[in-house]
């Protein structure tokens, strides 16, 4: 936050020295206390303990005592979607959202599910980030989710995505009779792998997660929330290097607006009001809050979140690869309040509440 108030030196040239902060360098080593970071023309030139880094003469010093500096966060389950209620050109709105992510320290996102109106714009923004100066977060995208009523349709859905050069492929197993059958969604995994694409699955139930892992899935994109993860699933995920993104704030967002949450008054939250304002107004309506209080499905997510937090601890302790993700940015009525930028920080907080250490998160 202190550095955000001094952008000109880092972005437009010159030398800036950030001094006195705790630095987490992303390697897994212990934090560096009272560290110095030298930034020259927008790039990190040196980082280390104060006695090991020479600050160039004439550098602008920014004193960071009491703060921590860490690498940009990677959100492995985001949504870069167009909110028609906000209006404006699709591209301009998506860029605003990516800049908001960056303002909260989220420098890369994997968008797991576009809309028809924003799929191609998201891919264009992905392509443009490989050259020039970037003033927003990076985006990697799966485009529209893969679907099909038959294995043949499912493969064609993947082929279309592969032709668009998406980065990953996502599909849903919701645990209801309208799901694709196993033969159909397993064809998505098989065809994706033939095209060199990793697969992500939306699940809720242990049995569906196990079936997906059995059929070669790469990433579980939500928590398992119906029961404890089994020793078999843990062993299979480790053996096959299947990663796990818990999206705890996704579940929090389902019921937390039964009253006006205290974080609406948090200055850190209010930094995002240029994007958040419309949804804050919707969620502050007493009628909407009463509807959430009386919604059986919303109330059922409260114990589901507790189960999700327990399973995160079990999987993390067992050595399964854990990634941070939030499901933030998804559009549509009833999905208000999945705050891009702010919720990534809340997600880390809930990961720690689940039993992971701050350094693990």
């Amino acid at each position: 936050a202190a550095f955000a108030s001094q952008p000109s030196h880092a972005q437009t040239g010159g030398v800036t020295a950030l001094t006195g902060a705790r630095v987490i360098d992303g390697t897994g080593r212990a934090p560096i206390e009272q560290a110095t970071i030298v930034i020259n023309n927008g790039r990190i030139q040196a980082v280390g303990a104060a006695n090991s880094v020479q600050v160039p003469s004439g550098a602008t010093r920014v004193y960071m005592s009491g703060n921590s500096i860490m690498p940009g966060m990677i959100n492995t389950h985001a949504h870069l979607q167009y909110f028609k209620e906000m209006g404006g050109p699709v591209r301009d709105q998506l860029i605003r959202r990516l800049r908001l992510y960056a303002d909260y320290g989220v420098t890369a996102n994997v968008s797991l599910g576009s809309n028809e109106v924003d799929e191609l714009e998201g891919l264009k923004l992905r392509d443009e980030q490989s050259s020039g100066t970037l003033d927003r977060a990076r985006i990697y995208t799966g485009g529209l989710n893969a679907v099909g009523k038959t294995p043949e349709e499912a493969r064609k859905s993947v082929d279309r995505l592969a032709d668009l050069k998406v980065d990953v492929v996502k599909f849903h197993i919701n645990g209801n009779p309208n799901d694709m059958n196993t033969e159909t969604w397993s064809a998505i995994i098989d065809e994706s792998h033939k095209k060199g694409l990793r697969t992500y699955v939306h699940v809720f139930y242990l049995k569906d997660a196990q079936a997906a892992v059995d059929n070669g899935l790469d990433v579980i994109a939500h928590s398992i929330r119906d029961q404890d993860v089994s020793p078999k699933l843990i062993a299979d995920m480790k053996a096959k290097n299947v990663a796990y993104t818990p999206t705890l704030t996704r579940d929090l967002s389902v019921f937390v607006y039964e009253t006006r949450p205290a974080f609406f008054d948090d200055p850190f939250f209010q930094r995002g009001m240029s994007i958040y304002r419309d949804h804050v107004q919707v969620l502050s309506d007493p009628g909407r809050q009463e509807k959430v209080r009386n919604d059986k499905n919303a109330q059922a997510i409260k114990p589901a979140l507790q189960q999700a937090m327990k399973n995160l601890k079990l999987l993390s302790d067992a050595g399964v690869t854990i990634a941070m993700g939030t499901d933030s940015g998804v559009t549509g009525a009833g999905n208000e309040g999945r705050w891009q930028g702010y919720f990534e920080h809340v997600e880390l907080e809930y990961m720690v509440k689940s039993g992971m250490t701050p350094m693990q998160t």
Side-chain angles (χ1 to χ4, degrees):
F3 183 48
S5 66
Q6 302 278 344
S8 59
H9 303 290
Q11 295 179 1
T12 61
V15 180
T16 300
L18 311 180
T19 63
R22 171 190 296 112
V23 168
I24 301 167
D25 66 9
T27 66
R29 292 184 296 220
I32 306 169
E33 302 292 344
Q34 296 298 309
T36 295
I37 298 178
V38 176
I39 301 172
N40 191 345
N41 291 318
R43 292 187 175 273
I44 293 176
Q45 178 176 296
V47 56
N51 60 7
S52 69
V53 175
Q54 181 68 41
V55 177
S57 177
T60 299
R61 292 176 180 260
V62 181
Y63 297 99
M64 302 288 289
S65 179
N67 292 281
S68 295
I69 300 173
M70 58 182 273
M73 289 182 280
I74 300 170
N75 181 6
T76 64
H77 190 154
H79 290 270
L80 186 65
Q81 295 183 343
Y82 179 71
F83 284 62
K84 63 181 179 180
E85 296 85 356
M86 291 187 63
V90 175
R91 176 186 174 85
D92 291 352
Q93 190 186 123
L94 297 188
I95 288 174
R96 285 180 65 197
R97 295 183 179 283
L98 289 172
R99 286 176 176 163
L100 182 67
Y101 272 126
D103 190 48
Y104 277 96
V106 184
T107 54
N109 296 274
V110 182
S111 183
L112 296 180
S114 301
N115 294 323
E116 291 182 357
V117 69
D118 52 50
E119 180 184 55
L120 294 181
E121 286 295 345
L123 287 161
K124 288 179 183 177
L125 291 169
R126 188 276 314 272
D127 292 343
E128 292 170 11
Q129 68 198 17
S130 60
S131 61
T133 301
L134 200 64
D135 62 352
R136 55 174 172 82
R138 295 179 182 273
I139 181 69
Y140 302 92
T141 178
L144 293 167
N145 291 164
V147 295
K149 294 181 180 179
T150 66
E152 292 73 25
E153 287 185 6
R155 290 181 186 276
K156 288 180 180 179
S157 179
V158 172
D159 292 343
R160 186 192 75 86
L161 293 168
D163 289 343
L164 290 175
K165 296 181 170 54
V166 298
D167 300 288
V168 299
V169 172
K170 181 193 171 192
F171 64 97
H172 282 235
I173 308 176
N174 295 311
N176 62 52
N178 296 323
D179 281 343
M180 294 179 283
N181 61 34
T182 302
E183 185 181 11
T184 300
W185 61 251
S186 63
I188 291 175
I189 298 175
D190 181 66
E191 190 69 15
S192 297
H193 289 171
K194 287 180 179 177
K195 301 291 186 179
L197 294 167
R198 302 180 79 195
T199 53
Y200 290 60
V201 69
H202 168 116
V203 292
F204 185 98
Y205 299 101
L206 173 63
K207 63 180 180 60
D208 296 327
Q210 182 66 65
V213 171
D214 289 344
N215 282 275
L217 178 82
D218 298 293
V219 182
I220 297 175
H222 286 292
S223 288
I224 295 163
R225 288 158 279 177
D226 64 322
Q227 58 183 293
D228 288 0
V229 290
S230 64
K232 174 175 171 50
L233 180 67
I234 293 172
D236 289 346
M237 290 180 70
K238 291 179 66 176
K240 298 181 180 183
N241 196 27
V242 176
Y244 187 80
T245 302
T247 64
L248 302 172
T249 42
R250 183 268 174 204
D251 297 319
L252 179 69
S253 73
V254 175
F255 64 83
V256 72
Y257 308 112
E258 64 184 6
T259 59
R260 187 179 187 278
F263 65 74
F264 277 5
D265 299 317
D266 181 355
F268 191 56
F269 174 81
Q270 292 178 351
R271 287 174 58 174
M273 286 297 281
S274 63
I275 295 288
Y276 300 162
R277 184 169 288 106
D278 289 347
H279 281 190
V280 168
Q281 292 175 351
V282 169
L283 297 168
S284 297
D285 176 59
R288 171 63 178 268
Q289 294 168 1
E290 183 180 9
K291 184 178 179 180
V292 175
R293 290 194 296 271
N294 295 328
D295 187 306
K296 292 181 179 179
N297 290 328
Q299 295 305 312
I301 293 295
K302 291 180 178 179
L305 174 57
Q306 295 304 310
Q307 182 67 66
M309 294 171 71
K310 182 180 180 182
N311 281 336
L312 174 56
K313 172 68 170 171
L314 291 170
L315 290 163
S316 176
D317 286 353
V320 170
T321 298
I322 307 296
M324 188 273 286
T326 58
D327 209 13
S328 62
V330 68
T331 62
N335 291 321
E336 296 89 357
R338 302 190 193 182
W339 315 107
Q340 293 169 299
Y342 183 77
F343 255 9
E344 281 64 46
H345 291 266
V346 178
E347 184 74 24
L348 298 183
E349 179 183 354
Y350 269 75
M351 291 170 82
V352 172
K353 287 180 177 179
S354 299
M356 297 180 69
T357 70
M359 281 299 293
Q360 283 177 319
T361 62

